[in-house]
Amino acid sequence: NWWNVTVDESLGRVTELLWTGENLSGYIPEEIGNLGQLKWISLGQNSLTGSIPKGIGKLKNLTELHLFENSLAGEIPEVIGDCENLKVLKLGDNGEDKKGLSGAIPQRLGDCKELRLLFLQNNNLSGEIPQSLGNCTQLEEIHLNGNDIEGSIPADLGNCEELIKLNLQENNAAFSTMVPDKVECLTKLTRIYLNDGLSIRGKLFEDAEAVFELWEALGGDEETLRKGEEGDVYKWEKVYIEDGRVTKLEWNDKNFKESIPPMIQKLDKLKVLDLSNNKIKESIPKEIGMLKELTELRLDNNIL
């Protein structure tokens, strides 16, 4: 019955500590390593100080470690690599103005081969991104922005075929913005943030070009669509994205006055197209029939 403590009754052991945002202070004791059946530690958004104890490495069953938005300092211990079942590691935002966790990203993090989400942003980490991260082939998101990392993107990250997002903005000015060919070829990687801005890759880049082409063909103006975010299609006007592809356009009441162009077929993952309450003219192009995943089409209140 203790607050946000989960117990596996069959084992008679504590498996979860879910204490996010509980106004906790003090430090994390080494003795946390004695809770050998812990699977989930959530201590984010508190006021914890001190360092991450090496006792964390004893938690062989740990799958999620959340220590974000505290005031932790010191290095991330190499023994984190002993947590072989770790899937989520969130240590971001442990200090403002380049304070917080320091030192290099542990080489042994590459031993956490089940890792999916890595959030280390807004600390004072330095050195280079370890090549060993390429062993974490299940990685979906890497956030290392707001540190002092130098060097370049390791080519071995090209082994991470599930990678969707890579954020490396606001690091050392000498950090290279070159993207290795092996990383460039990752089919699911749609967003790379570097010191020189956001770069959209792969099929999403093609979708973004098609969205812009469609918007202009219908008579829309560039600024209304992009909202000053030229490269970030995720922030464009009523454009929705799933799994790195544009799947929904909700463009009703946009005062469009032109016809729907045949190029609509380029957006082959569209599920919803809402162009209702405009002044779209002429006929519906036969290319609409090429949108095999379309489930909702709204063209009411136009002059077709």
Side-chain angles (χ1 to χ4, degrees):
N1 295 321
W2 288 8
W3 180 254
N4 284 354
V5 175
T6 302
V7 175
D8 185 323
E9 294 185 3
S10 65
L11 296 173
R13 300 294 300 275
V14 173
T15 57
E16 295 180 350
L17 301 176
L18 306 179
W19 295 336
T20 297
E22 296 292 346
N23 200 31
L24 300 175
S25 58
Y27 63 93
I28 305 169
E30 285 288 343
E31 288 77 8
I32 196 168
N34 296 333
L35 294 168
Q37 294 299 320
L38 270 181
K39 296 180 179 179
W40 196 332
I41 300 174
S42 186
L43 296 173
Q45 297 177 329
N46 284 294
S47 300
L48 300 175
T49 55
S51 59
I52 299 172
K54 293 181 179 179
I56 288 287
K58 297 179 181 180
L59 303 177
K60 308 299 184 184
N61 297 301
L62 193 66
T63 60
E64 300 208 16
L65 178 59
H66 300 238
L67 301 177
F68 58 92
E69 293 182 34
N70 280 287
S71 297
L72 298 173
E75 298 185 358
I76 303 171
E78 285 283 348
V79 292
I80 196 77
D82 291 331
C83 303
E84 295 179 354
N85 292 300
L86 195 63
K87 294 182 179 180
V88 177
L89 181 60
K90 294 188 175 183
L91 309 179
D93 300 289
N94 265 289
E96 298 178 354
D97 300 323
K98 298 293 184 181
K99 296 178 181 178
L101 299 170
S102 58
I105 299 170
Q107 288 284 343
R108 289 203 57 211
L109 199 55
D111 294 336
C112 302
K113 295 180 181 178
E114 299 297 317
L115 198 62
R116 265 77 165 172
L117 302 178
L118 178 60
F119 287 69
L120 303 180
Q121 75 279 3
N122 297 326
N123 282 290
N124 191 27
L125 299 172
S126 57
E128 299 188 359
I129 302 171
Q131 290 276 359
S132 61
L133 279 184
N135 298 331
C136 306
T137 57
Q138 301 302 310
L139 272 169
E140 298 172 7
E141 294 190 27
I142 300 174
H143 297 257
L144 304 178
N145 49 298
N147 284 288
D148 195 29
I149 295 169
E150 55 190 11
S152 59
I153 299 173
D156 283 359
L157 284 186
N159 299 331
C160 304
E161 295 183 354
E162 302 300 315
L163 195 61
I164 298 170
K165 186 175 181 180
L166 177 60
N167 194 340
L168 302 170
Q169 277 186 311
E170 299 176 17
N171 272 290
N172 190 294
F175 187 84
S176 172
T177 57
M178 296 293 293
V179 179
D181 290 342
K182 194 174 178 182
V183 175
E184 192 81 63
C185 291
L186 291 173
T187 57
K188 294 186 178 181
L189 183 59
T190 57
R191 285 184 284 177
I192 301 178
Y193 296 82
L194 298 169
N195 281 343
D196 59 354
L198 168 66
S199 177
I200 295 175
R201 296 297 208 269
K203 287 291 186 181
L204 184 57
F205 178 80
E206 295 175 15
D207 283 357
E209 288 192 322
V211 165
F212 182 65
E213 185 179 350
L214 177 60
W215 179 274
E216 283 202 318
L218 291 169
D221 70 277
E222 177 181 344
E223 183 59 31
T224 303
L225 172 64
R226 292 178 168 173
K227 301 178 180 179
E229 299 285 349
E230 181 173 348
D232 195 349
V233 65
Y234 285 81
K235 296 179 181 178
W236 289 6
E237 175 69 14
K238 298 294 183 179
V239 177
Y240 300 90
I241 297 164
E242 295 178 15
D243 299 325
R245 298 299 303 273
V246 173
T247 58
K248 184 192 295 186
L249 299 175
E250 290 187 341
W251 288 349
N252 53 301
D253 297 296
K254 298 299 179 188
N255 199 33
F256 293 142
K257 298 179 181 179
E258 304 299 328
S259 58
I260 302 171
M263 56 69 53
I264 188 73
Q265 65 181 311
K266 293 181 181 180
L267 294 166
D268 58 348
K269 293 297 180 181
L270 266 186
K271 297 177 181 178
V272 177
L273 177 60
D274 185 355
L275 297 175
S276 60
N277 301 317
N278 283 290
K279 298 176 183 178
I280 296 171
K281 59 187 180 181
E282 298 184 14
S283 59
I284 300 171
K286 65 181 185 296
E287 286 80 6
I288 286 282
M290 302 294 289
L291 304 178
K292 302 302 184 183
E293 299 193 24
L294 195 66
T295 59
E296 183 177 339
L297 176 61
R298 296 199 57 188
L299 301 174
D300 45 306
N301 294 324
N302 281 286
I303 50 175
L304 294 165

